[in-house]
Amino acid sequence: MVEPSFAERSLIYHKDYLNDTTIVTSSAVNITEDAVLTADGQSLPYDYLVIATGHALTSPASRAERLKEFQRDNGKIESSESVLIIGGGPTGVELAAEIAVDYPGKKVTLIHRGPRLLEFMGEKASKKCLDWLTSKKVDVLLQQSVDLGSLSDTEKVYKTSGGETVRADCHFVCIGKPLSSSWLHDTILKESLDSKGRVMVENDLRVKGYNNIFAIGDITDIPEIKQGYNAQKHALLVAKNLKLLIKGLPNSKLSTYSTGYPLALVSLGRKEGLAQIPFLTICGCLPGKIKSGDLFIGKTRKQIGLSG
């Protein structure tokens, strides 16, 4: 959104690196004991199944439309003197930081309904983040919200739940998306969902009650920070276990997953960042060198066999 050309490297077709895979671009609508049914009427049989639907997204389906969306958002930022960001999680914080660094003349306001920013991290990290944004002249309003139903692209005056008035030429909603699990309530996995809609899994990441169905990523009920780093760990473990099952090894041979210390890394503009590692929270150029340069895009491309 701040640098649209960056999306050229980050938006990747699965077919570009999954050379021996059949890719079906249709939503799954049902799961039976031996097949997945899709919205376009297909029935895809399976011996083993992995559920990895994460959070629900409303982005355009095609790459071309997604690129246009980023360009439109960038145009909104470019043409605005003031920007309102709703949501103080990692997405809202990183967007506010990038705008503050790349467009220091623009007025940036961030509204968050919680008592502190980045609530998935420790209080020390939240304080360092707030101090950093404040140093860049970002106005941060905590424990306040905006009625999302009243938002429009033409409205430039926003009323907060705390009675404050915020004037901004444009806004961006950066709050958490709901889990993409509602469709599972009408499948054989309906009894495997917890009260929050998360898929309950065993230590080997098989769905509770099933020997041949796994779940990975944000959709699981694993008590840890929901981030790509952990989802990748899930994927590697499930790939390993699938190979063992296909070879006919017993369940006792399957590897198990254990949560580690909550690690987190948030970029703050082009060169700085915020890192939470065991017994230490760092803010500044060191964590910035790790992530903020290209947000791990080059590393990820190389991992899947594409040029950096």
Side-chain angles (χ1 to χ4, degrees):
M1 294 159 67
V2 175
E3 185 182 342
S5 61
F6 190 77
E8 294 284 349
R9 292 171 58 237
S10 61
L11 295 178
I12 304 167
Y13 282 117
H14 293 306
K15 64 183 180 182
D16 290 342
Y17 64 95
L18 294 174
N19 300 319
D20 300 319
T21 303
T22 299
I23 299 170
V24 178
T25 53
S26 179
S27 298
V29 295
N30 196 9
I31 299 171
T32 68
E33 297 287 352
D34 55 14
V36 174
L37 308 181
T38 64
D40 62 0
Q42 297 185 67
S43 177
L44 307 171
Y46 69 85
D47 294 309
Y48 298 96
L49 177 65
V50 181
I51 309 294
T53 48
H55 282 79
L57 298 177
T58 56
S59 300
S62 75
R63 186 175 189 273
E65 283 300 315
R66 192 79 185 276
L67 290 172
K68 288 181 181 178
E69 183 180 59
F70 285 130
Q71 290 164 353
R72 286 194 297 269
D73 286 341
N74 180 253
K76 285 168 58 176
I77 296 172
E78 288 269 9
S79 62
S80 299
E81 293 184 5
S82 53
V83 180
L84 170 63
I85 296 172
I86 303 168
T91 304
V93 165
E94 290 189 340
L95 178 59
E98 289 186 7
I99 295 174
V101 168
D102 279 21
Y103 302 97
K106 297 185 186 298
K107 179 63 178 176
V108 180
T109 302
L110 188 152
I111 296 178
H112 181 56
R113 69 168 61 246
R116 60 186 180 89
L117 300 172
L118 304 175
E119 291 172 88
F120 72 101
M121 299 175 74
E123 291 188 13
K124 188 174 181 180
S126 296
K127 179 64 166 58
K128 286 182 178 290
C129 176
L130 178 61
D131 290 344
W132 189 94
L133 289 174
T134 302
S135 74
K136 302 298 180 183
K137 299 182 180 179
V138 175
D139 276 352
V140 179
L141 305 180
L142 297 174
Q143 294 183 289
Q144 297 191 57
S145 60
V146 174
D147 180 10
L148 299 182
S150 66
L151 296 177
S152 72
D153 290 333
T154 57
E155 182 61 62
K156 295 189 177 184
V157 179
Y158 305 84
K159 295 287 187 179
T160 76
S161 59
E164 295 194 45
T165 298
V166 176
R167 298 184 181 277
D169 296 325
C170 70
H171 71 269
F172 295 97
V173 179
C174 300
I175 61 174
K177 304 296 183 182
L179 283 176
S180 181
S181 63
S182 59
W183 66 284
L184 292 172
H185 286 282
D186 298 319
T187 74
I188 61 171
L189 299 186
K190 59 185 178 182
E191 300 299 329
S192 300
L193 303 176
D194 68 9
S195 60
K196 296 182 179 179
R198 299 172 300 192
V199 180
M200 297 182 288
V201 294
E202 303 287 359
N203 289 339
D204 55 20
L205 299 187
R206 285 187 295 181
V207 176
K208 289 187 176 181
Y210 293 89
N211 290 323
N212 64 333
I213 302 179
F214 293 82
I216 61 175
D218 290 1
I219 201 169
T220 67
D221 68 338
I222 299 172
E224 64 183 0
I225 299 174
K226 303 302 183 182
Q227 53 185 359
Y229 165 74
N230 287 322
Q232 185 180 42
K233 288 166 61 180
H234 299 179
L236 292 172
L237 185 137
V238 167
K240 180 179 179 180
N241 283 345
L242 281 170
K243 292 176 183 178
L244 295 176
L245 289 173
I246 291 170
K247 289 179 180 179
L249 272 67
N251 294 340
S252 60
K253 296 295 184 181
L254 298 184
S255 297
T256 58
Y257 182 80
S258 60
T259 59
Y261 185 90
L263 304 175
L265 190 57
V266 174
S267 66
L268 296 174
R270 300 276 179 168
K271 297 181 179 180
E272 296 183 83
L274 177 66
Q276 178 178 278
I277 56 180
F279 313 113
L280 189 62
T281 300
I282 308 173
C283 184
C285 294
L286 181 58
K289 286 183 178 180
I290 299 173
K291 181 181 181 183
S292 301
D294 82 340
L295 306 178
F296 298 138
I297 298 301
K299 176 184 177 181
T300 303
R301 290 179 63 90
K302 289 178 181 178
Q303 284 178 333
I304 60 178
L306 299 176
S307 60

